[in-house]
Amino acid sequence: MTGVTEAAARRRIWGWWFYDWASQPYATLLLTFIFAPYVKDLLGDGSAAQAAWGYGVGAAGLVVALLAPVLGAVADRSGYRMRWIALFSALYVIGAAGLWCADPTGFSLPLVLCFFGLGLVGMEFSAIFVNAMMPELGPRAELGRISGSGWAFGYVGGLIALVITLAFLAENETGRTLIGLPPVFGLDPATREGTRAVGPFVALWYAVSMIPFFLWLKLPRRPGTGTRTATVTRALAEALPELGRTLRRLPRTPSLSAYLLSSMFYRDALNGMYVFGGIYAAGVLGWSVVDVGVFGILAVIAAALFAWLGGRADRRFGPKPVIVVCLVTLIAAAVLAISISREAVLWLPVAPGSALPDIAYYAVGAVIGAAGGAMQSASRTMMVRQANPARMTESFGLYALSGKATAFIAPMSIGIVTDLSGSQPAGIVPLVVLFLLGLGLLGFVRAEGERTERWHAS
């Protein structure tokens, strides 16, 4: 932060935080709590919706896995990070706005999944470049706090967007919102225009909220970038060989390699819980879109609080212990979720009409939100500790690859197992396996990353 005034440094951090604020509603409203359950309503079958959503999200994850490291390497060569963020932000906005097309009177599942995947790809790719800026926001000792506060701020944005959606847009089976009003602006409940409007609302939220990001986050061009590389074509030609050398060097950086593998499994499992939490509740417990939205409010509140607390724990203990505790908690939550049905909790029968399954699933949502929020924040900090400082964007491209290389496996395995078994609880079992693999591999990760001299040697 040398040469930067304290006020300018604070603006940078706030600008960086506004990306989390802007992007979080896609995950909260579209991926998990509002639009995914709506797809279940359209298809009329929880298992079919869970399978279709798994294939769609998995395909988007495969695109991210293939292109993320290349884009990161190109960005490190060209230095034009803001331009890349603007490009992928446009994909986010187009994809989210396009979900308005999910009209129940002429529903096209492939078209809806294409728009959803486009927005998801935009969100994932833009995050590569945004996350790579983190080392330039403050000293290493403060990055855990900065990351945790950013995640918390993002979850607060997601919570506010969710409350607005439930109060004024998303309708239940009676055509009313959570507070008993018809959808605003004369939106027609008969064609689910209130729920369909959530997509354009998320697009507008992102476009407006990114203004502080682009205005306040002024970072100097890194030395050695942009001086000779005037075009993306030339940057690509120079970046691909360097990316190849980076991949070949991975065996000489065992801590980084182990962390990429570990996070590949556990982040995929966490994303699976987020993606299918709403569909699972709608199909297994018979919850409406509004019921799932209330569940989402509880989960997001817990996520915001524990992302902030996790950032403080990260600063004091480091990111690795935070990740371990969160993983153990998430494994327990996944097992509890599998055990819940309308007739049982922990596989023990409950009385007909009992509210205990609903209460238990609300508790699961709060635990997943809390542990997931803290773990995502700590994981971002952990990547900074493991990465080569000279190739930070490329490293976060590899981080995105590790998060998406199996990202198609979790949703697709859920889809396949659900298809074969005809059971939504059985379809969630692969997530437990992925969490366990991530936890085991984390044991080979050095808390402080590779030695500095090893980076120079490589």
Side-chain angles (χ1 to χ4, degrees), residues 270-282:
L270 180 61
N271 288 334
M273 297 188 86
Y274 287 159
V275 170
F276 294 99
I279 288 181
Y280 188 87

Side-chain angles (χ1 to χ4, degrees), residues 21-209:
W21 171 281
S23 62
Q24 182 60 37
Y26 202 100
T28 303
L29 274 64
L30 302 183
L31 192 60
T32 306
F33 296 121
I34 301 295
F35 204 80
Y38 173 57
V39 171
K40 177 264 175 186
D41 288 349
L42 293 176
L43 295 181
D45 179 78
S47 296
Q50 182 166 291
W53 208 239
Y55 297 139
V57 175
L62 182 58
V63 171
V64 175
L66 292 174
L67 296 182
V70 177
L71 288 172
V74 169
D76 276 332
R77 299 294 297 180
S78 67
Y80 297 119
R81 291 176 294 186
M82 285 298 189
R83 297 183 185 181
W84 288 103
I85 293 169
L87 170 64
F88 294 122
S89 293
L91 298 185
Y92 179 114
V93 171
I94 293 169
L99 295 178
W100 172 259
C101 73
D103 188 339
T105 62
F107 178 63
S108 170
L109 181 60
L111 181 62
V112 169
L113 290 178
C114 282
F115 274 119
F116 182 85
L118 183 68
L120 187 60
V121 166
M123 181 179 72
E124 294 286 357
F125 281 156
S126 61
I128 294 171
F129 302 95
V130 173
N131 289 339
M133 295 175 175
M134 188 164 56
E136 299 170 64
L137 299 175
R140 181 184 175 103
E142 292 297 315
L143 294 183
R145 178 189 61 82
I146 292 172
S147 180
S149 296
W151 273 111
F153 187 55
Y155 278 121
V156 170
L159 173 62
I160 293 173
L162 181 58
V163 170
I164 292 172
T165 296
L166 291 173
F168 301 109
L169 291 175
E171 64 278 282
N172 57 25
E173 61 275 4
T174 67
R176 299 280 172 167
T177 68
L178 180 63
I179 60 177
L181 298 175
V184 295
F185 307 126
L187 295 170
D188 184 10
T191 56
R192 302 299 297 272
E193 287 186 346
T195 301
R196 289 159 53 200
V198 175
F201 170 73
V202 168
L204 180 62
W205 176 284
Y206 183 88
V208 173
S209 299

Side-chain angles (χ1 to χ4, degrees), residues 250 253-268 383 398-399 401-403 405-406 434-442 444-445:
L250 281 178
T253 54
S255 181
L256 171 62
S257 300
Y259 180 62
L260 289 173
L261 285 172
S262 173
S263 68
M264 178 173 70
F265 292 119
Y266 75 66
R267 286 189 295 139
D268 188 19
M383 187 60 218
L398 293 174
Y399 182 65
L401 168 64
S402 75
T406 59
L434 290 172
F435 276 134
L436 289 170
L437 287 171
L439 181 61
L441 286 166
L442 199 62
F444 298 96
V445 178

Side-chain angles (χ1 to χ4, degrees), residues 341-344 350-359:
S341 68
R342 183 49 63 195
E343 297 79 26
V350 298
S354 171
L356 185 58
D358 303 287
I359 295 171

